[in-house]
Amino acid sequence: MVRIIRKLSVALASAALLLGFAPSPAGAGQQGPVRTAAPPVHGTSEAGNPLVEGWYADPDVAVYGDRFWIYPTTSRSYGEQTFMDAFSSTDMVHWTKHPKVLDIADVPWAKYALWAPAPVYRDGQYYLYFAANDIQSDSEVGGIGVAVSDRPEGPYKDAIGAPLIDRFHNGAQPIDQDVFIDDDGQAYMYYGGWGHANVVELNPDMTSLGTFPDGTVHKEITPENYTEGSFMFKRGGTYYMMWSEGGWTGPDYSVSYAMSDSPTGPFEKIDRVLAQDPAVARGSGHNSVVNVPGTDVWYIVYHRRPLSETDGNHRALAYDRMYFNEDGTIRPVTMKVQDNFEDGNAVGWRTYGGGDWTAAHGTYSVAPAAPATSVTSAASATSVTSASGGLALQDTDFSDLLYEADVTLRDGRGEAGLAFRATPPEAGEEGFHGYYAALTAKGLVLGKAAGGERTPLATARLTGASGGTHRVRIEAIGSSLKVYVDDLANPRISTTDSTYTSGSNGVHATRPSPKPGSAAARKPLASFDDVAIRSDVFSFEAADAPNRFIRHAWSRGRVDPDVTPYADMQWKVVPGLADPSAVSLESVNFPGHFLRQRDGEVWSEARTDDAGFLGDATWRRVPGLSDRSLTSFESFSSPGRYLRHRDALLYAEHVAPGERPGATFREW
């Protein structure tokens, strides 16, 4: 996937420039040398979140020449927060660690709690602003400092021998600073904790504070629900202030934003843009934003806490794509779960059982490992001894989901596939509780596992299941379980079971043990690639009308850019009301209301048990009429008619060849 994106990125960047998108980096002025490499264009961190191994928080991003730089807090206890690492990348996939770019030994007045580095470049120098000592009153030594280096990887040295801001002003604790240089060259610092935010001007030397025209130095700009973590960026002449709300150790930690036509506000809260997803991660916050130079591609970089972690300092770095509406407002960010292993690691995966797992060459592979373990075959309900059993899980907790990956069964005597709604087993064990869909030499099996015992629920023959790579997709909606292979339009297996309702997602492979006295082969059992997991809630963007989505207004189905409230353009994909092998689209904003066609027009209406309504509210989800990588919806009650937009309204109509783009949608 990333290989294809890289080929397209140059064309996308050129198109962006033709459309008038000039380089506009977050925290402008930090570019340094001009970037010449092809810009990365990703839908999320496609090589997997967390980005890097280790506990880090409060990331800020700079673009220096051809490299993206992330400077985070080292997420440890206060006493251990005595240095800062950095990470750099040319493609936002492969990250190089630069250890201890700033060390407390180079800041004479600091003792601990080095927090929230803020990088910026100016006049041949690289500056790194930081908070230290977590002062609780003006009588303590500490606050916001500034370090300088002639290289982005440091080492950074304290620039002035004392804090730049060492007092509480307007009630704001001097922490969590961000530095932004406007187009006119004026530099600003935004900072503050304890529920108060200030902005100050930085003089051209970047190591002293200026004065506003009214004679003040520290101007309060606190927006509604502000806690900490200020961040400023500019896009299209509009200033965006972002901040974190809630408690940093709690699940309510989140990011909100405001817009203004001035870098000093006023800043009135518009909406929350990033929050926890109980299926993906908690405590998502303290963010920065980076714009890929020369494009209108933006990413939000932030920290979050894996679901199973309870230690407050166990925070990890992540990024996701950030999109804007036509009026400049920001769409709520979805924390996506993907991994194509292009970065050569499996950060975020946990392995169990007797398999050796390796992430290399863009795949995740498992080979046998001794000693032998005992599991039950997925192809039958009888127990057998296995020479190897490998299970790798992500720290997720999905109930209704769509989960797909490329699966290559390399050993015809074994099986390999996807696990979902799984309860992680004890360390060292491969047996789990949950569902699995596996390729075998004979075809495909869907079953459920209860520790070491596995029970098939359904099977299907599949030519060439062993040796080749197959795209396997799971749709689990309530008790409805569907498995697709290669042809994602028609399920190979469709059944129901309600034993497990939610749990982790992963990949697994097993192989029966050799006969007594013979040695187990060491060749790989299976490999996996392009893993993608998401919930069953979608937004559908018209393929021929970017930034226009299927929504409802006064019950009438529409396609337009008005996404307020955002939930009006969100649809829960559920088993078809008239045929569970098809789908129905339930409004997120109005549960129990479904998108249905009535005399060729499309409406969002409350469900009834009338057979006519059930049929009219059911759609066959098929490959896109104008682009098979996208989606179209054929009416169940009126075959040959497709959901399409015309003059901003939705209809169910026959579609001529030239009209196919209007009946094709991109899923978000």
Side-chain angles (χ1 to χ4, degrees):
M1 184 182 299
V2 167
R3 299 184 186 96
I4 297 172
I5 290 172
R6 286 176 185 157
K7 292 178 183 178
L8 294 175
S9 62
V10 175
L12 289 171
S14 301
L17 288 170
L18 290 173
L19 291 171
F21 297 126
S24 178
Q30 60 190 35
Q31 280 282 92
V34 176
R35 179 178 173 84
T36 59
V41 180
H42 310 307
T44 180
S45 176
E46 290 161 355
N49 281 322
L51 295 178
V52 296
E53 189 151 14
W55 301 123
Y56 294 96
D58 315 333
D60 203 344
V61 187
V63 183
Y64 295 144
D66 284 344
R67 302 192 75 85
F68 295 84
W69 288 79
I70 296 180
Y71 297 84
T73 298
T74 303
S75 191
R76 303 183 177 190
S77 64
Y78 287 3
E80 295 179 295
Q81 291 174 322
T82 58
F83 63 90
M84 290 175 168
D85 299 328
F87 299 88
S88 68
S89 173
T90 59
D91 56 10
M92 296 186 71
V93 174
H94 303 87
W95 294 92
T96 299
K97 181 177 179 178
H98 303 271
K100 296 190 175 181
V101 298
L102 176 65
D103 193 282
I104 209 161
D106 295 316
V107 186
W109 53 270
K111 295 181 179 179
Y112 59 91
L114 283 180
W115 289 351
V120 69
Y121 171 89
R122 187 163 209 171
D123 298 332
Q125 294 289 301
Y126 297 89
Y127 296 89
L128 195 64
Y129 298 79
F130 59 92
N133 295 354
D134 185 27
I135 63 172
Q136 304 295 298
S137 70
D138 290 345
S139 64
E140 301 176 49
V141 175
I144 296 173
V146 54
V148 64
S149 176
D150 58 3
R151 300 183 301 172
E153 68 270 27
Y156 288 85
K157 307 290 184 179
D158 183 51
I160 59 177
L164 180 60
I165 301 176
D166 63 353
R167 295 287 185 272
F168 284 70
H169 298 276
N170 305 316
Q173 185 187 26
I175 62 169
D176 288 4
Q177 62 293 321
D178 177 57
V179 175
F180 165 81
I181 302 179
D182 206 351
D183 299 333
D184 62 3
Q186 178 60 59
Y188 299 89
M189 179 189 290
Y190 303 81
Y191 76 93
W194 288 18
H196 293 274
N198 289 334
V199 60
V200 297
E201 287 189 346
L202 289 170
N203 290 325
D205 62 9
M206 302 299 285
T207 59
S208 62
L209 304 183
T211 303
F212 290 108
D214 63 2
T216 61
V217 175
H218 304 266
K219 177 180 175 65
E220 183 166 13
I221 53 169
T222 306
E224 177 188 355
N225 289 345
Y226 177 90
T227 299
E228 59 195 13
S230 305
F231 187 82
M232 169 62 64
F233 71 95
K234 187 177 184 180
R235 176 183 181 269
T238 298
Y239 298 87
Y240 293 77
M241 180 182 174
M242 307 183 86
W243 65 91
S244 293
E245 302 179 350
W248 70 275
T249 61
D252 60 338
Y253 205 54
S254 56
V255 176
S256 291
Y257 78 104
M259 299 165 62
S260 178
D261 58 6
S262 166
T264 59
F267 296 106
E268 295 185 6
K269 177 178 175 177
I270 293 177
D271 201 358
R272 189 170 60 180
V273 71
L274 176 67
Q276 77 152 345
D277 183 337
V280 179
R282 299 191 302 268
S284 51
H286 202 126
N287 74 291
S288 59
V289 169
V290 63
N291 168 231
V292 178
T295 76
D296 196 36
V297 175
W298 298 77
Y299 300 99
I300 183 169
V301 185
Y302 59 97
H303 73 243
R304 66 195 199 188
R305 185 171 296 105
L307 294 179
S308 65
E309 297 293 340
T310 57
D311 188 317
N313 282 311
H314 284 186
R315 297 171 289 178
L317 302 184
Y319 75 79
D320 283 290
R321 186 77 172 268
M322 193 170 76
Y323 296 92
F324 296 83
N325 300 313
E326 287 191 349
D327 62 0
T329 55
I330 305 174
R331 296 185 206 162
V333 173
T334 300
M335 291 193 286
K336 294 185 176 179
V337 180
Q338 294 183 213
D339 203 337
N340 59 20
F341 307 103
E342 286 288 332
D343 54 4
N345 68 51
V347 174
W349 292 81
R350 297 179 180 178
T351 62
Y352 308 86
D356 285 338
W357 292 87
T358 304
H361 310 297
T363 62
Y364 195 31
S365 300
V366 59
T373 58
S374 178
V375 298
T376 303
S377 169
S380 70
T382 60
S383 296
V384 299
T385 301
S386 174
S388 61
L391 173 69
L393 295 178
Q394 292 188 307
D395 198 352
T396 55
D397 189 20
F398 282 93
S399 51
D400 293 347
L401 84 161
L402 286 82
Y403 175 24
E404 55 187 293
D406 290 341
V407 180
T408 305
L409 175 59
R410 299 189 179 279
D411 188 322
R413 297 180 62 241
E415 61 186 49
L418 311 183
F420 60 103
R421 294 183 181 173
T423 300
E426 297 294 326
E429 296 181 5
E430 192 271 338
F432 63 96
H433 291 257
Y435 295 107
Y436 60 89
L439 300 177
T440 72
K442 294 181 179 180
L444 177 68
V445 58
L446 170 67
K448 58 183 177 181
E453 181 181 349
R454 299 187 182 179
T455 304
L457 297 174
T459 61
R461 296 195 64 82
L462 179 66
T463 302
S466 177
T469 298
H470 298 275
R471 190 69 175 170
V472 179
R473 178 175 180 174
I474 308 296
E475 288 188 9
I477 311 297
S479 62
S480 172
L481 308 177
K482 300 177 184 178
V483 185
Y484 300 75
V485 180
D486 298 331
D487 176 10
L488 302 185
N490 301 294
R492 292 297 185 99
I493 290 176
S494 182
T495 189
T496 59
D497 190 84
S498 57
T499 305
Y500 303 112
T501 58
S502 68
S504 298
N505 299 85
V507 294
H508 76 101
T510 59
R511 184 183 66 189
S513 65
K515 295 179 180 180
S518 60
R522 292 285 297 149
K523 68 178 183 179
L525 296 174
S527 60
F528 307 89
D529 196 6
D530 287 331
V531 175
I533 310 164
R534 62 165 299 159
S535 72
D536 61 331
V537 174
F538 287 81
S539 294
F540 298 98
E541 182 183 25
D544 63 344
N547 212 32
R548 283 167 166 76
F549 293 83
I550 292 178
R551 68 183 298 263
H552 54 88
W554 303 105
S555 297
R556 186 65 169 91
R558 301 180 57 87
V559 169
D560 60 37
D562 183 1
V563 293
T564 304
Y566 180 72
D568 277 354
M569 71 176 224
Q570 290 185 303
W571 302 91
K572 186 173 184 180
V573 179
V574 301
L577 299 182
D579 182 348
S581 68
V583 299
S584 291
L585 304 180
E586 182 179 12
S587 169
V588 169
N589 210 23
F590 294 93
H593 288 65
F594 292 83
L595 204 65
R596 57 86 55 102
Q597 70 95 8
R598 176 159 47 87
D599 298 325
E601 295 182 342
V602 176
W603 298 78
S604 176
E605 296 181 347
R607 171 181 175 165
T608 70
D609 290 330
D610 175 78
F613 179 94
L614 299 180
D616 289 343
T618 300
W619 307 84
R620 297 205 180 277
R621 193 180 193 174
V622 299
L625 297 183
S626 65
D627 183 341
R628 290 185 62 83
S629 68
L630 305 181
T631 298
S632 292
F633 294 95
E634 182 183 15
S635 171
F636 176 82
S637 59
S638 299
R641 294 178 179 266
Y642 292 86
L643 183 68
R644 54 89 52 102
H645 71 93
R646 178 164 51 84
D647 300 324
L649 296 177
L650 285 174
Y651 297 90
E653 296 179 334
H654 294 286
V655 178
E659 300 171 329
R660 289 173 180 171
T664 304
F665 300 91
R666 180 173 289 103
E667 299 177 344
W668 295 96

